[in-house]
Amino acid sequence: MKKVKTGKELFSKAEGWQEIFDSISDMVFMLDKDFRIRKVNRAFCKAIKKSPQDLIGRRCYRILHKSNRPWKVCPCLRTFKGKKAHTAEVLDPKLGIPLLVSTSPIFDKGKKLVYAVHIARDISIQKQAEKVIEDLSRFPDENPNPVLRITRNGEIIYKNKAVDSVLKRAGLKRGDVFRILPAQIKKVAADSLRTGRRFHNMRARVGSRVYSYSLSPEKKRYYVNLYAIDITEREKVDTALKKRSQEQEALNDKIREKMNLIQEKDQRLFDTSEELKNTNSELITARDRLEIIVNQMGEGLLVINDKKEIELINDRAKEILGFGKRSAVPEGYKKLFVLQLWKELHKSEKVILKKELTIERPREATLMVTLAHLHSAAPAGGFVAVIRDITAEKKIERLKSDFVANVSHEIRSPMAPMKDALSLVVDGTAGPLTPEQKKFLSILDENMDRLTRLINDLLNLSKIEAGRMELKKEDVKIASLVKDTVDSIKVYAARKKIALSVEMDDALPRPMCDRDRITQVIINLVMNAVKFTPEGGKIAVRCRLLTASGKKIVQVSVTDTGPGMLQEEADLLFNRFKQLVATDKVKGTGLGLAISKAIIDLHGGKIWVESEEGKGSTFKFTLPV
């Protein structure tokens, strides 16, 4: 009777584990050594449009590849042969999308391989980004960096305008191209055309500048493409970073030691679970196999039911929260922690929510928590929480931010006297100049201004990341602030004959905000619009009073008639150092929008972009009233 009861209990628990298995967004299935499918999750069934009944017991290669034998590049085949985990990128002909596939072996007590777990993730967006980079390389004339083409005989059959600029700055003639290239370039080009290999990080010094060259053969191997990037400033920063990296290496060693200890504990836990599985082999169910996988996870896992009770917490989760693996988590702590996670998930409208949390007891730690509903049809029900300890990572980030701030400050200090001295020379105070000298000094002046803006952006970003940016909030007349700010930069629009207009709602309220920081955001958005709007275009700045969720907000929008972009690309614009367009005419640091977003977030508002390729873009931000 006891054995029957235990079987029923395990069957009931297996149903609960199936729900967890199905909540995983990646496509997961389990194979035996005959490549027969033994377990599938909901995401996999949905992707290939088949039910579990249609898949269980059938060989995977018959279903996925319509073949009588395993796929030659199948990662599971390599796992069964090598008895090791394997990861590879594959283009699945059945689904027609690129996948990142990871396979892991499962052994019985006798260390005999019995199953393989196959996990596939859709990486279409990553591949699209790589395609964009590849497409940009097809237009060398628009590339601001030097681009050349060299034949097998060492003959230069093409060079873009940037090559002539490098020669001119170095005081060389147009025929002296090989003097700015690495000494071994002809031999490397011949090797590349013979073998089809690509070569990277070949360096050459041209005067005071340092260039890094990358070489790749053309598809039919008639010639090689040679790309150069000016890495002079990066070399200076690398020298400073090497010094700091020595200090960080000790910290990295400690992290590696901790990781090794965690891996050893995971292995001991796996061995123990394997012994238990062999002792009770007649009662092994799908739940037991899933439990092995969960307890090998490097992240903490919690399953919370609709009564806000913890149904499952793995050992790693206990360690992250500061409790021993075999210690019981106090009920009071459970309720507080679960209630915090519950509020975070249910106040968000997202199906899957990633959130950074800080805990203070029983240990101080910073956690990255991923929350997902157990049942999409019942969002008010239970959920799964995956937690990862990022305390060490945050410490390294703070060290990095402090380092960037210090380096930026040290670079900015000599900029003011250099700028003043250059102004004296340009104004003729230090003596008369030829038109050619004035031209080059003007270029130098513009680049110094650009370097100053970059340094200021880095310092602002460092303050934001360190949480040291303070807001001086006051009662601001938003209509006057927007109008005065736009009026101050109309001259830039006039240079391109762009019509810049301002529209205001009547009787706008006076929100509490930092006047200087909001001015900085408006300038960033309008100047971006001026950069990307063609000559003769239009830019409209609007300020409106709206109501959202029963609360009044002020919305400021900037609409242009520029080239626009795909919405999925537009969503990446607020990342640091992100620019979707980079030409000689449109330059920037890639930090302006990231800083603007941080400022609006500090005000409790929102900022976003709405765009359509070929039809312009609209940037909007809101401020609470």
Side-chain angles (χ1 to χ4, degrees), residues 59-169:
R59 287 186 169 90
C60 63
Y61 49 80
R62 291 185 182 275
I63 296 172
L64 296 177
H65 311 302
K66 306 297 183 184
S67 173
N68 293 325
R69 59 177 59 89
W71 200 15
K72 290 183 179 179
V73 295
C74 175
C76 274
L77 182 62
R78 298 185 182 183
T79 293
F80 282 131
K81 287 183 177 180
K83 297 183 179 181
K84 294 181 180 179
H86 185 73
T87 300
E89 290 184 11
V90 301
L91 179 62
D92 194 303
K94 173 73 174 178
L95 301 177
I97 58 174
L99 300 172
L100 179 63
V101 176
S102 298
T103 57
S104 302
I106 296 180
F107 302 92
D108 60 16
K109 185 179 180 182
K111 304 299 181 182
K112 181 180 178 182
L113 192 151
V114 290
Y115 298 103
V117 177
H118 183 290
I119 303 175
R121 176 172 296 171
D122 184 354
I123 56 171
S124 302
I125 294 177
Q126 174 187 329
K127 290 301 179 182
Q128 289 172 4
E130 293 175 357
K131 180 67 166 58
V132 171
I133 295 172
E134 180 182 351
D135 290 342
L136 287 174
S137 68
R138 297 175 183 169
F139 305 96
D141 280 329
E142 298 176 9
N143 196 322
N145 297 311
V147 179
L148 304 97
R149 288 174 179 162
I150 303 176
T151 66
R152 190 185 304 274
N153 297 326
E155 179 185 359
I156 297 174
I157 59 174
Y158 170 83
K159 58 184 177 67
N160 69 350
K161 297 177 182 178
V163 175
D164 293 333
S165 299
V166 172
L167 290 169
K168 194 171 185 179
R169 283 197 298 270

Side-chain angles (χ1 to χ4, degrees), residues 486-500:
V486 173
D487 286 344
S488 69
I489 54 180
K490 274 188 174 180
V491 62
Y492 298 101
R495 291 175 183 172
K496 295 178 68 177
K497 300 179 181 178
I498 294 173
L500 179 57

Side-chain angles (χ1 to χ4, degrees), residues 161-206:
K161 297 177 182 178
V163 175
D164 293 333
S165 299
V166 172
L167 290 169
K168 194 171 185 179
R169 283 197 298 270
L172 300 173
K173 297 179 181 179
R174 289 192 174 186
D176 295 333
V177 176
F178 280 103
R179 293 180 62 182
I180 69 171
L181 303 180
Q184 74 278 21
I185 192 63
K186 292 184 179 180
K187 180 180 181 301
V188 175
D191 290 345
S192 176
L193 289 172
R194 186 180 70 256
T195 63
R197 286 181 57 200
R198 297 183 178 185
F199 295 85
H200 301 283
N201 202 27
M202 298 179 292
R203 302 192 177 193
R205 180 173 292 277
V206 183

Side-chain angles (χ1 to χ4, degrees), residues 31 117 142 222 232 247 271 367 369 482 487 489 511 540 580 601:
L31 299 174
V117 177
E142 298 176 9
Y222 295 144
T232 308
E247 301 171 359
D271 293 340
L367 311 178
V369 183
V482 173
D487 286 344
I489 54 180
L580 297 182
D601 288 345

Side-chain angles (χ1 to χ4, degrees), residues 523-535:
I523 289 174
N524 276 341
L525 297 183
V526 177
M527 288 303 292
N528 269 354
V530 172
K531 286 180 185 178
F532 292 100
T533 300
E535 190 169 326

Side-chain angles (χ1 to χ4, degrees), residues 15 101 169 195 224 233 237 437 485 546 584:
E15 291 180 335
V101 176
R169 283 197 298 270
T195 63
V224 295
E233 300 304 324
V237 174
Q437 289 172 331
T485 304
L546 302 175
D584 286 334

